[in-house]
């Protein structure tokens, strides 16, 4: 993740080009029906309008979604306050799409596998600690990990791009990995949630296993399924 | 030093006005100079519960608009020394209230030497409720032992900690007190009603009082005499306990356990 542009011999270089990213949302395009996609996306974004305001996104376009008018898709995203910046390198015809849309090509998967460096830790999004109970109707949004010392009441929402730790009862809704990070977890001392979600995969209260209700719980995503286990 | 106390709940019909009237009356009975203000502009009720509806000349909105002085609008209670009522206007709506106007009235009451200023909030979370809580130092959150009321109270607690003068100025938080009203221990036992513990678990604020479901409350309302004046009644005694706790005295909770029926009660079902 640290690959920098080759250092120039000239000592007074005006910039360093890094391709390290602290976090970028990837929009997986599954259909070439742009109208439908925009409608669905709009609904999803309403869950947390603040989180994705002017967020850069990379577009992943598999063969199944092609042929696709990529330029039209890009202009359709802008009114939603999403800024398409790149096509993922794993897309089919990535180079061609990138040229059509005048975007970059982003090699995200190779970034994932490359080792992180101390420099990355410095730029990691800040952890937010909430000391008050999160009351019904309140929404807490955070770009990194979110730690709530009290409870999250029914009708309250906690949303984090990273992990969520709740040292009280979770009675409201919790969205971890809200920007698509599937490796995020949710921990709570007492599970009584209206809804839990990681990277968009969610379960509503009705689908929760009754034996786990009211229990200290750990929620993670495995093979696109939410796994909920008792803690400790 | 005057204290502004808002009586609020979110949900309607849980007993805010009954509690405001009893609380204000009880404080005045202890010798504190107390004013109680009806913030429910357009749906005024407090004057009825306080039994002064026939003496309302000027109201809260008149004072805010400068059409009357505070002194002209304050209605002195006939039974209790030191107790004053500021009625709401029935012909206006909540838009007639302004933040500056409310602040001026509260400041004038403070300057007049009132010990306690009780703000009876309207239901909901809109302008009237917002202004009633905005300048508060302490809050009585009135809740019935059922889920929708508890959720609305949770919402109100969120607003108390974020949308008030104290929150906006990073001053110490509003002191929050839970008042559980219409509590019926036998219905808790049968699982029809949330228990004190259930409600406290969800709201996580200190319990100030539990007022039992009581026929005395309806009688008091109809007669225009705050229920605390009926010291024979369970509800009246429970409000009395609540005020003692508010003033810092430790009083055991009553009326939260189901009374065991005596032999005759069991035999004849009375």
């Amino acid at each position: 993740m640290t690959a920098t542009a080759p250092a120039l011999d000239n000592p007074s270089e005006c910039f360093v080009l890094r391709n390290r990213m602290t976090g970028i949302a990837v929009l997986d395009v599954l259909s070439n029906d742009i109208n439908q996609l925009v409608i669905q996306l709009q609904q999803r974004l309403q869950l947390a309008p603040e989180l994705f305001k002017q967020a850069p996104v990379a577009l992943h376009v598999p063969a199944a979604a092609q042929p696709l008018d990529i330029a039209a898709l890009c202009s359709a995203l802008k009114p939603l306050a999403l800024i398409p910046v790149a096509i993922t390198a794993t897309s089919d015809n990535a180079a061609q799409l990138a040229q059509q849309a005048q975007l970059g090509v982003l090699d995200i998967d190779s970034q994932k596998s490359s080792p992180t460096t101390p420099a990355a830790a410095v730029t990691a999004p800040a952890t937010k600690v909430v000391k008050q109970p999160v009351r019904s109707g309140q929404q807490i949004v955070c770009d990194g990990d979110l730690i709530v010392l009290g409870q999250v009441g029914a009708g309250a929402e906690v949303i984090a791009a990273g992990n969520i730790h709740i040292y009280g009862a979770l009675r409201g809704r919790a969205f971890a990995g809200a920007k698509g990070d599937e490796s995020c977890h949710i921990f709570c001392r007492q599970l009584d949630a209206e809804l839990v979600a990681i990277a968009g995969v969610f379960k509503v209260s009705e689908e929760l296993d009754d034996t786990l209700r009211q229990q200290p719980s750990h929620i993670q995503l495995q093979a696109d399924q939410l796994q909920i286990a008792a803690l400790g | 030093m005057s204290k502004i106390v808002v009586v609020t709940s979110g949900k309607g019909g849980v007993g805010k006005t009954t509690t405001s009237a009893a609380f204000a009356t009880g404080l005045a009975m202890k010798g504190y100079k107390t004013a109680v203000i009806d913030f429910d502009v357009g749906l005024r009720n407090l004057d009825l519960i306080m039994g002064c509806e026939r003496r309302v000349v000027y109201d809260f909105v008149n004072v805010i608009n400068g059409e009357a002085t505070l002194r002209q609008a304050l209605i002195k209670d006939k039974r209790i020394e030191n107790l004053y009522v500021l009625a709401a206007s029935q012909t206006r709506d909540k838009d007639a209230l302004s933040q500056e106007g409310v602040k001026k009235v509260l400041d004038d009451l403070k300057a007049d030497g009132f010990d306690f200023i009780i703000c009876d909030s309207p239901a909901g979370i809109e302008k009237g409720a917002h202004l009633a809580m905005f300048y508060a130092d302490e809050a009585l959150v009135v809740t019935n032992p059922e889920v929708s009321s508890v959720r609305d109270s949770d919402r109100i607690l969120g607003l108390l900690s974020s949308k008030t003068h104290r929150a906006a100025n990073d001053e110490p938080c509003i002191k929050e007190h839970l008042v559980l009203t219409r509590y019926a221990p036998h219905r808790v036992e049968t699982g029809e009603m949330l228990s004190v513990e259930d409600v406290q678990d969800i709201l996580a604020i200190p319990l100030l009082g539990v007022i039992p479901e009581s026929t005395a409350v309806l009688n008091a309302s109809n007669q225009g005499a705050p229920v605390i004046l009926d010291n024979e009644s369970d509800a009246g005694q429970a409000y009395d306990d609540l005020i003692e706790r508010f003033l810092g005295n430790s009083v055991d909770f009553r009326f939260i356990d189901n009374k065991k029926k005596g032999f005759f009660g069991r035999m004849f079902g009375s």
Side-chain angles (χ1 to χ4, degrees):
Chain A
M1 287 180 86
T2 54
T4 52
L8 299 177
D9 292 327
N10 183 351
S12 65
E13 68 185 294
C14 296
F15 63 90
V16 177
L17 189 63
R18 297 179 196 276
N19 67 3
R20 171 166 48 76
M21 290 277 192
T22 52
I24 185 165
V26 177
L27 185 69
D28 242 325
V29 182
L30 302 177
S31 151
N32 59 3
D33 183 349
I34 294 177
N35 287 336
Q36 195 56 35
L37 187 144
V38 167
I39 292 169
Q40 291 178 7
L41 193 57
Q42 226 158 7
Q43 291 168 349
R44 179 69 64 84
L45 292 179
Q46 267 164 8
L47 286 175
E50 288 304 312
L51 197 59
F52 286 98
K53 215 175 234 174
Q54 306 299 331
V57 286
L59 305 175
H60 175 68
V61 191
Q66 295 189 29
L68 175 74
D69 185 350
I70 188 79
L73 176 60
C74 289
S75 38
L77 291 179
K78 280 178 185 155
L80 302 178
L82 288 179
I83 316 293
V85 292
I87 306 291
T88 62
T90 48
S91 301
D92 283 282
N93 306 322
Q96 198 188 335
L97 286 172
Q99 202 175 16
Q100 279 170 17
Q102 301 194 329
L103 299 178
V105 175
L106 187 64
D107 194 355
I108 287 192
D109 284 339
S110 69
Q111 284 187 2
K112 260 187 188 167
S113 55
S114 60
T116 49
T117 62
V122 176
T123 54
T127 297
K128 188 175 199 167
V129 180
V130 178
K131 292 173 183 158
Q132 300 285 330
V134 185
R135 302 287 185 183
S136 187
Q138 288 182 318
Q139 191 184 53
I140 307 277
V141 178
C142 151
D143 244 346
D145 285 1
L146 177 63
I147 299 174
V148 181
L149 298 187
Q151 58 183 351
V152 176
E157 287 182 4
V158 287
I159 301 166
N163 304 298
I164 298 178
H165 307 253
I166 301 163
Y167 292 95
L170 168 57
R171 299 192 181 95
R173 299 161 169 240
F175 303 84
K179 286 187 175 175
D181 185 350
E182 298 180 354
S183 65
C184 290
H185 302 247
I186 300 172
F187 304 89
C188 64
R189 282 271 289 274
Q190 188 186 323
L191 179 67
D192 214 351
E194 290 171 355
L195 185 151
V196 287
I198 295 174
V201 181
F202 68 90
K203 268 189 181 175
V204 292
S205 179
E206 208 176 66
E207 300 166 80
L208 298 181
D209 189 345
D210 275 337
T211 58
L212 294 165
R213 230 172 262 277
Q214 313 279 341
Q215 299 304 310
S217 305
H218 171 205
I219 303 159
Q220 59 184 326
L221 197 58
Q222 280 173 348
D224 278 342
Q225 292 280 318
L226 280 187
Q227 301 292 334
I228 306 179
L231 254 186
Chain B
M1 182 60 196
S2 348
K3 245 182 204 168
I4 301 174
V5 184
V6 61
V7 179
T8 184
S9 73
K11 196 170 167 63
V14 296
K16 283 182 296 298
T17 301
T18 299
T19 300
S20 298
F23 187 59
T25 306
L27 287 169
M29 285 160 76
K30 305 270 180 209
Y32 295 100
K33 192 175 176 189
T34 306
V36 53
I37 307 176
D38 191 348
F39 273 76
D40 205 347
V41 177
L43 293 166
R44 87 174 195 216
N45 280 162
L46 181 68
D47 52 328
L48 288 172
I49 310 291
M50 295 293 294
C52 63
E53 75 278 9
R54 294 169 164 205
R55 295 190 287 135
V56 179
V57 181
Y58 295 111
D59 58 48
F60 193 19
V61 173
N62 291 139
V63 180
I64 286 180
N65 292 344
E67 295 151 5
T69 63
L70 187 57
R71 226 165 263 263
Q72 288 174 306
L74 279 176
I75 305 165
K76 192 176 183 320
D77 191 86
K78 282 188 168 171
R79 295 156 298 217
I80 310 292
E81 193 74 6
N82 293 326
L83 180 59
Y84 296 82
V85 180
L86 185 52
S89 175
Q90 183 73 345
T91 52
R92 310 294 291 271
D93 60 33
K94 308 298 192 260
D95 291 331
L97 298 175
S98 66
Q99 194 154 308
E100 308 75 52
V102 170
K103 182 171 180 357
K104 177 148 196 324
V105 170
L106 294 174
D107 285 345
D108 288 352
L109 286 170
K110 282 183 181 175
D112 245 358
F114 278 91
D115 296 303
F116 291 103
I117 303 159
I118 314 303
C119 302
D120 180 22
S121 171
I125 53 175
E126 279 73 43
K127 191 170 186 186
H130 177 241
L131 287 174
M133 70 167 70
F134 193 75
Y135 292 104
D137 301 306
E138 304 200 20
L140 303 193
V141 178
V142 181
T143 307
N144 285 169
E146 48 100 14
V147 284
S148 61
S149 173
V150 172
R151 179 176 295 188
D152 290 358
S153 294
D154 196 37
R155 178 88 167 101
I156 283 292
L157 285 164
L159 297 177
L160 283 169
S161 61
S162 61
K163 295 271 191 292
T164 53
H165 185 260
R166 280 174 174 247
N169 292 281
D170 273 335
E171 289 168 29
C173 297
I174 291 179
K175 197 168 170 195
E176 299 150 341
H177 307 274
L178 175 62
V179 178
L180 205 51
T181 53
R182 310 198 65 167
Y183 196 71
H186 67 276
R187 298 185 65 188
V188 173
E189 231 164 66
T190 56
E192 290 170 69
M193 214 177 237
L194 296 177
S195 70
V196 175
E197 293 77 21
D198 291 339
V199 178
Q200 266 200 293
D201 187 40
I202 296 172
L203 295 181
I205 56 169
L207 182 65
L208 186 69
V210 179
I211 313 302
E213 173 81 64
S214 168
T215 50
V217 172
L218 189 58
N219 287 337
S221 299
N222 289 335
Q223 288 170 13
V227 71
I228 197 165
L229 294 172
D230 180 2
N231 50 18
E232 300 282 302
S233 71
D234 46 1
Q237 293 173 17
Y239 274 117
D240 203 50
D241 290 359
L242 176 151
I243 285 161
E244 286 294 333
R245 287 186 208 104
F246 183 81
L247 296 171
N249 303 319
S250 146
V251 183
D252 284 341
F253 283 94
R254 294 190 274 174
F255 316 112
I256 57 179
D257 295 318
N258 199 5
K259 258 190 260 138
K260 291 281 172 280
K261 278 187 179 167
F263 173 75
F264 284 100
R266 270 182 282 136
M267 288 297 283
F268 304 110
S270 62

